[in-house]
């Protein structure tokens, strides 16, 4: 149950056709609601969404209406493009979600955080403790992690972390965040499904990672567990990670994730993963796959 409570359900697939290995497309509203029911009943208490995730917020809002009250801690991210202000983005999110407050308000990127830095005090003075409890930033690089870590106004930082973007690459920066009393959430546990892809299906630009992908697959075979179970539990096992974000394409996929999260006795294999070094680190960011 402890592992389940660290899971954060990502909801981008509720509103968009998302993911390099997503063969099912955007989830139907009915399936999204069934997925939320399953998550809630299993003990998952945190949802991750964003104004930029298509209709995701509306789908969650419709679900909350059916419950009569909000049963989740909601994290949503501001949309600060096309002239949108943080005030209008926040109000639109509340309207879509049908709520008066959320757990965490996040900047969708380090760039958004920098560009809105001068307004953070206004956001905190007028909204924190009323409209949201925590302010966060989603980042990509260790340089961004280390730059945000000392900021006393930031409570939560979200970063990639997985079998390749691993302890060797990330632990120093993530532990610096913990030293500054930040909550740390990680995403890309499955690297957008890359770990499940067959060699012939891997996009040409990502093939320099093939050797390392084969290495983690060999470790999963040695451990006698699926690559999914290994990947998810690797992130869940780290004491410097407070929440592990998982995105799912279907109800069946969430059921599978919940089973994976309860896999035991993998610690000795995690030590092997800790030392896998990726030289083409730019390819760990899916933005660079196109």
């Amino acid at each position: 149950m402890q592992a389940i409570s660290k899971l954060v359900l990502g909801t981008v697939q509720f509103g968009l056709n998302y993911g390099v290995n997503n063969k099912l497309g955007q989830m139907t509203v009915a399936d999204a609601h069934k997925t939320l029911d399953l998550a809630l009943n299993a003990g998952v208490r945190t949802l991750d969404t964003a104004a930029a995730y298509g209709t995701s917020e509306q789908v969650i809002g419709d679900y909350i209406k059916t419950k009569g009250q909000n049963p989740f801690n909601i994290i949503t991210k501001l949309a600060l493009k096309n002239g949108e202000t943080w005030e209008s983005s926040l109000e639109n999110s509340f309207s879509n979600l049908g709520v008066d407050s959320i757990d965490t308000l996040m900047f969708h990127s380090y760039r958004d955080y920098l560009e809105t830095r001068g307004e953070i005090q206004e956001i905190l003075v007028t909204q924190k403790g009323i409209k949201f409890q925590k302010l966060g930033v989603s980042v990509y690089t260790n340089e961004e992690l280390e730059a945000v870590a000392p900021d006393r106004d930031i409570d939560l930082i979200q970063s990639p972390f997985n079998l390749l973007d691993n302890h060797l690459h990330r632990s120093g920066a993530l532990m610096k965040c913990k030293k500054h009393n930040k909550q740390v959430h990680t995403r890309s546990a499955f690297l957008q499904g890359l770990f499940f892809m067959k060699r012939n299906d891997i996009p040409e630009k990502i093939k320099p990672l093939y050797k390392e992908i084969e290495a983690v697959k060999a470790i999963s075979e040695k451990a006698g567990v699926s690559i999914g179970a290994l990947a998810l539990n690797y992130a869940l096992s780290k004491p410097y990670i407070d929440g592990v974000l998982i995105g799912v394409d279907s109800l069946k996929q969430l059921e599978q994730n919940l089973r994976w999260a309860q896999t035991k006795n993998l610690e000795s294999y995690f030590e092997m993963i800790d030392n896998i070094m990726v030289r083409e680190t730019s390819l760990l960011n899916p933005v660079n796959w196109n």
Side-chain angles (χ1 to χ4, degrees):
M1 189 65 183
Q2 185 177 3
I4 301 293
S5 66
K6 280 182 77 168
L7 292 177
V8 177
L9 181 62
T11 64
V12 62
Q13 288 89 345
F14 291 4
L16 295 171
N17 179 4
Y18 178 83
V20 70
N21 201 39
N22 180 2
K23 303 292 194 294
L24 301 175
Q26 182 181 338
M27 293 175 72
T28 66
V29 173
D31 283 347
H33 285 193
K34 289 177 184 176
T35 301
L36 289 169
D37 272 333
L38 175 60
L40 188 62
N41 292 333
V44 177
R45 289 293 176 266
T46 305
L47 303 181
D48 178 277
T49 187
Y53 290 170
T55 57
S56 174
E57 288 181 334
Q58 292 98 312
V59 171
I60 296 168
D62 290 342
Y63 178 82
I64 291 172
K65 285 179 188 175
T66 70
K67 293 294 179 184
Q69 60 180 2
N70 178 18
F72 290 106
N73 298 317
I74 295 177
I75 300 168
T76 199
K77 305 179 190 77
L78 292 165
L80 298 176
K81 294 182 179 179
N82 303 320
E84 193 88 72
T85 65
W86 66 263
E87 296 101 328
S88 60
S89 178
L90 184 58
E91 288 309 312
N92 286 338
S93 290
F94 284 151
S95 176
N96 291 333
L97 291 164
V99 299
D100 296 321
S101 64
I102 56 173
D103 182 74
T104 305
L105 178 67
M106 292 191 71
F107 294 106
H108 209 136
S109 67
Y110 181 68
R111 180 178 178 178
D112 283 353
Y113 158 77
L114 287 181
E115 291 181 349
T116 316
R117 191 72 192 87
E119 301 171 61
I120 286 181
Q121 287 305 313
E122 181 185 356
I123 297 173
L124 294 175
V125 170
T126 62
Q127 309 294 328
K128 190 174 184 182
I130 303 169
K131 297 289 189 178
F132 63 89
Q133 299 304 311
K134 297 189 285 287
L135 187 65
V137 185
S138 176
V139 302
Y140 277 97
T141 68
N142 287 342
E143 291 75 18
E144 291 173 355
L145 279 168
E146 292 179 2
V148 174
D151 188 337
R152 295 180 180 179
D153 295 331
I154 299 300
D155 306 294
L156 187 151
I157 302 176
Q158 187 191 97
S159 162
F161 186 89
N162 54 64
L163 298 171
L164 299 185
D165 205 347
N166 56 17
H167 181 83
L168 184 66
H169 292 282
R170 291 287 181 186
S171 61
L174 292 178
M175 285 192 279
K176 184 173 182 179
C177 294
K178 294 304 297 178
K179 183 179 178 181
H180 285 278
N181 300 313
K182 307 301 184 220
Q183 282 193 24
V184 170
H185 285 187
T186 60
R187 61 180 185 274
S188 295
F190 308 122
L191 203 47
Q192 285 199 18
L194 181 62
F195 297 132
F196 306 119
M197 296 177 74
K198 296 178 181 178
R199 182 170 189 171
N200 291 340
D201 294 332
I202 294 176
E204 192 66 32
K205 195 164 186 181
I206 315 175
K207 286 189 175 175
L209 295 178
Y210 185 73
K211 181 180 177 182
E212 289 80 10
I213 294 169
E214 286 299 292
V216 296
K217 286 183 177 180
I219 294 171
S220 77
E221 289 174 9
K222 190 172 183 179
V225 299
S226 69
I227 190 78
L230 186 70
L232 184 54
N233 283 281
Y234 180 64
L236 288 169
S237 74
K238 297 305 180 189
Y240 48 81
I241 295 175
D242 302 297
V244 177
L245 178 65
I246 55 167
V248 297
D249 303 332
S250 65
L251 182 68
K252 184 177 179 181
Q253 200 173 76
L254 177 58
E255 291 171 342
Q256 189 175 56
N257 275 257
L258 293 170
R259 288 194 298 271
W260 284 342
Q262 299 178 70
T263 309
K264 306 294 184 185
N265 303 318
L266 295 175
E267 288 75 16
S268 61
Y269 301 101
F270 297 155
E271 291 175 10
M272 298 166 69
I273 296 162
D274 281 344
N275 295 307
I276 292 175
M277 178 180 286
V278 172
R279 299 193 182 282
E280 299 276 354
T281 54
S282 65
L283 293 180
L284 296 175
N285 185 347
V287 169
N288 297 320
W289 291 358
N290 297 321

